[in-house]
């Protein structure tokens, strides 16, 4: 049975929270957006994009993998249009990352005594992202980053041969090369992940992966804690590390 839990926190520096997430286990759709922009633009962009993406994917005929890129473009244009209608929100944008199941295990067979037999069928999840919010895949003690950051560091800095230590402190390290709501063109990263029972997917913004090592993420996901406890543990660890976002 699919289980999920989501948690967000403004951190230790900012007065408002520009993250927004949707967690729908019944429809197997999970979305996270990390907004940016002046005034309330960031939190407005993140909510608009996540809800538009979610609504589009729920529409009949949009269940297949082919519909994902169009869904992202719909969210992108929706945010851009909202910015033109409210000048104070000009320049607002957001990252956007999604995980959704493309297939579901069949209903377990009914036994003679009226009980059902538990099924252990793997499920294919589709991952899509724009910006630097990430999806990690955890299975049997291994943690794998399955998305690609669309940032200056990932797409430009690393090609210049700069060391990881230099890139971590570079003044352009937080600059995105792509975000929902800014440029006319939109590059969307997509991939498929096959989940077996016990596997986990972690969606997070740079407020988490930007301050915590992958070892902390792995150790937390490896633990016997509940999903709720794992989320709280990760948020508290990020705040203990300064929690800038």
């Amino acid at each position: 049975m699919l289980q999920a839990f989501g948690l967000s926190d403004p951190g230790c520096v900012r007065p408002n929270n520009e993250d927004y997430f949707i967690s729908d286990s019944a429809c197997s759709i999970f979305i996270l957006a990390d907004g940016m922009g002046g005034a309330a633009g960031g939190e407005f962009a993140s909510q608009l994009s996540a809800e538009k993406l979610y609504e589009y994917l729920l529409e009949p005929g949009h269940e297949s993998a082919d519909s994902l890129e169009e869904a992202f473009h719909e969210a992108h244009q929706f945010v851009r249009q909202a910015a033109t209608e409210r000048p104070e929100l000009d320049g607002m944008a957001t990252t956007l990352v999604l995980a959704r199941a493309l297939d579901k295990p069949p209903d377990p067979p009914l036994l003679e005594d009226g009980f059902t037999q538990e099924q252990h069928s793997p499920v294919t999840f589709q991952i899509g992202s724009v910006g630097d919010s990430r999806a990690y895949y955890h299975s049997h003690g291994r943690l794998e980053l399955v998305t690609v950051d669309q940032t200056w560091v990932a797409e430009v800095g690393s090609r210049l041969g700069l060391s990881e230590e230099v890139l971590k402190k570079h003044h352009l390290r937080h600059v995105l090369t792509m975000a929902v709501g800014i440029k006319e063109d939109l590059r969307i990263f997509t991939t498929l992940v096959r989940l077996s029972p016990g596997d986990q997917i972690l969606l997070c913004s740079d407020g988490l992966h930007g301050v915590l090592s992958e070892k902390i993420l792995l150790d937390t996901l490896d633990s016997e804690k509940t999903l709720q406890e794992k989320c709280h543990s990760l948020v508290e660890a990020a705040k203990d590390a300064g929690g800038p976002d």
Side-chain angles (χ1 to χ4, degrees):
M1 181 177 65
L2 182 65
Q3 296 180 328
F5 187 80
L7 184 65
S8 184
D9 190 284
C12 304
V13 178
R14 298 183 177 181
N16 63 321
N17 190 349
E18 295 185 330
D19 290 351
Y20 188 84
F21 71 88
I22 294 173
S23 179
D24 184 347
S25 296
C27 295
S28 301
I29 297 177
F30 309 94
I31 301 170
L32 169 67
D34 180 8
M36 65 200 79
E43 53 193 276
F44 195 54
S46 59
Q47 181 177 354
L48 280 182
S49 64
E51 291 184 348
K52 187 65 176 180
L53 182 66
Y54 177 64
E55 291 169 4
Y56 186 89
L57 293 176
L58 286 179
E59 293 177 4
H62 295 165
E63 301 86 358
S64 70
D66 296 339
S67 65
L68 185 62
E69 290 201 16
E70 182 60 33
F72 268 82
H73 282 290
E74 287 287 323
H76 178 57
Q77 295 303 328
F78 195 60
V79 173
R80 285 171 58 85
Q81 179 61 35
T84 63
E85 295 172 354
R86 295 180 57 179
E88 72 274 16
L89 300 177
D90 182 49
M92 70 176 179
T94 183
T95 70
L96 195 58
V97 61
L98 166 139
R100 67 160 175 168
L102 292 180
D103 51 27
K104 297 181 181 180
D107 292 333
L110 187 66
L111 304 179
E112 292 182 0
D113 56 7
F115 292 96
T116 58
Q117 181 177 1
E118 186 177 357
Q119 296 291 291
H120 297 283
S121 304
V123 178
T124 299
F125 264 77
Q126 185 178 34
I127 308 294
S129 70
V130 172
D132 66 348
S133 289
R134 293 180 174 181
Y136 288 92
Y137 167 59
H138 174 267
S139 179
H140 301 290
R142 295 184 302 104
L143 184 69
E144 178 186 354
L145 174 62
V146 296
T147 51
V148 175
D149 290 348
Q150 293 173 320
T151 62
W152 182 91
V153 165
E155 298 187 348
V156 180
S158 59
R159 297 177 184 176
L160 298 177
L162 301 178
S163 69
E164 187 173 342
E165 284 303 312
V166 170
L167 291 175
K168 284 182 179 180
K169 300 177 182 179
H170 200 281
H171 68 284
L172 295 177
R173 65 187 180 279
H174 297 303
V175 174
L176 297 179
T177 55
M178 189 62 55
V180 169
I182 295 293
K183 301 177 182 178
E184 178 64 32
D185 296 330
L186 191 69
R187 288 185 290 110
I188 305 154
F189 172 85
T190 64
T191 191
L192 299 177
V193 176
R194 193 74 165 160
L195 263 69
S196 297
D199 293 348
Q200 300 173 84
I201 290 178
L202 170 66
L203 304 183
C204 61
S205 70
D206 65 343
L208 192 74
H209 70 73
V211 296
L212 297 184
S213 67
E214 289 195 355
K215 184 180 187 308
I216 294 177
L217 301 183
L218 175 59
D219 289 346
T220 303
L221 295 178
D222 261 344
S223 71
E224 296 299 322
K225 297 176 180 178
T226 65
L227 293 184
Q228 181 175 352
E229 291 170 339
K230 291 176 182 180
C231 285
H232 280 283
S233 179
L234 289 172
V235 167
E236 290 306 312
K239 291 169 70 174
D240 288 343
D245 186 12

